[in-house]
Amino acid sequence: DADVTQTPRNRITKTGKRIMLECSQTKGHDRMYWYRQDPGLGLRLIYYSFDVKDINKGEISDGYSVSRQAQAKFSLSLESAIPNQTALYFCATSDLAGERKFFGPGTRLTVL
Amino acid sequence: DQQVKQNSPSLSVQEGRISILNCDYTNSMFDYFLWYKKYPAEGPTFLISISSIKDKNEDGRFTVFLNKSAKHLSLHIVPSQPGDSAVYFCAASYNFGNEKLTFGTGTRLTIIP
């Protein structure tokens, strides 16, 4: 079984809709992250969490919110989706070192 | 402003030959660098890293070279194998333990049998 799982794997939604992307991990890591990947821009950090009570904004947090429901679960929400949020979204975890991250398989989100 | 740049979007190499992937950075504060490998429909996986106190780090067929004065790093794969066909991202951070990795845009490596 995969250590970091993401649901859904693909999602098509309409402008203005609320959508939630979910991430679960079995690695036992405290640190979890949400990234988005756009063509020509690499991966960019949206939010990260050191533990259930510690949530931090990344470089592109506007338009997104997160919830850390448990050590193993970290969800990303788009309260009102817009077309420029169409991207590939990755959840990741890491141990205390931080740099060496373990990524989930990604969620491809399309906002029409 | 792209602080980590991978100027070659794609690269094709014959099986058995050396693959060299390049990465340039502009921020002199970066002092820890990583390479990630990504297959289609999968998330990136960590490949190899290097601290700025070193100029080379080797792990099996993979070697990363760092030239701080040129703000340049490269990943060498020798010999290249078909399973190495993937997208490679370089990434950088300010110091070990920093959460905020800055990623390059990726290079798609294709190994030709």
Side-chain angles (χ1 to χ4, degrees), chain A residues 2-6 23-27 32 91-93 102-105:
Chain A
D3 294 319
V4 184
T5 58
Q6 294 183 232
C23 176
S24 295
Q25 54 115 346
T26 59
K27 299 193 73 66
M32 297 187 74
C91 174
T93 73
F102 298 84
F103 286 85

Side-chain angles (χ1 to χ4, degrees), chain B residues 32-83:
Chain B
Y32 194 74
F33 305 89
L34 306 90
W35 285 93
Y36 281 83
K37 175 180 179 179
K38 183 184 179 305
Y39 291 119
E42 296 183 13
T45 56
F46 171 79
L47 191 57
I48 193 169
S49 63
I50 188 168
S51 164
S52 61
I53 62 173
K54 295 185 175 182
D55 54 19
K56 175 183 174 181
N57 189 28
E58 191 172 354
D59 183 1
R61 297 186 298 114
F62 302 92
T63 302
V64 56
F65 294 93
L66 176 62
N67 183 333
K68 291 185 290 293
S69 61
K71 295 190 180 67
H72 176 83
L73 64 154
S74 60
L75 174 68
H76 293 210
I77 306 173
V78 184
S80 299
Q81 299 175 353

Side-chain angles (χ1 to χ4, degrees), chain A residues 15-28:
Chain A
T15 297
K17 294 290 188 181
R18 183 179 188 276
I19 184 167
M20 179 182 289
L21 309 183
E22 298 186 349
C23 176
S24 295
Q25 54 115 346
T26 59
K27 299 193 73 66

Side-chain angles (χ1 to χ4, degrees), chain A residues 8-101:
Chain A
R9 293 295 311 276
N10 289 282
R11 180 72 182 266
I12 299 174
T13 191
K14 294 183 178 180
T15 297
K17 294 290 188 181
R18 183 179 188 276
I19 184 167
M20 179 182 289
L21 309 183
E22 298 186 349
C23 176
S24 295
Q25 54 115 346
T26 59
K27 299 193 73 66
H29 290 163
D30 287 325
R31 300 181 175 193
M32 297 187 74
Y33 311 81
W34 276 104
Y35 286 89
R36 67 177 275 177
Q37 182 189 0
D38 298 275
L41 291 177
L43 282 79
R44 293 181 292 167
L45 182 62
I46 306 172
Y47 269 96
Y48 61 103
S49 169
F50 288 164
D51 63 37
V52 174
K53 297 181 181 179
D54 188 349
I55 305 290
N56 303 277
K57 293 183 177 181
E59 60 183 295
I60 53 165
S61 59
D62 288 348
Y64 301 94
S65 63
V66 291
S67 173
R68 184 81 183 266
Q69 300 95 325
Q71 187 209 35
K73 296 184 181 297
F74 193 35
S75 59
L76 176 72
S77 293
L78 288 68
E79 296 301 326
S80 180
I82 56 177
N84 76 1
Q85 291 177 313
T86 293
L88 187 55
Y89 289 85
F90 290 103
C91 174
T93 73
S94 72
D95 58 16
L96 289 177
E99 277 83 4
R100 185 171 175 173
K101 293 176 170 51

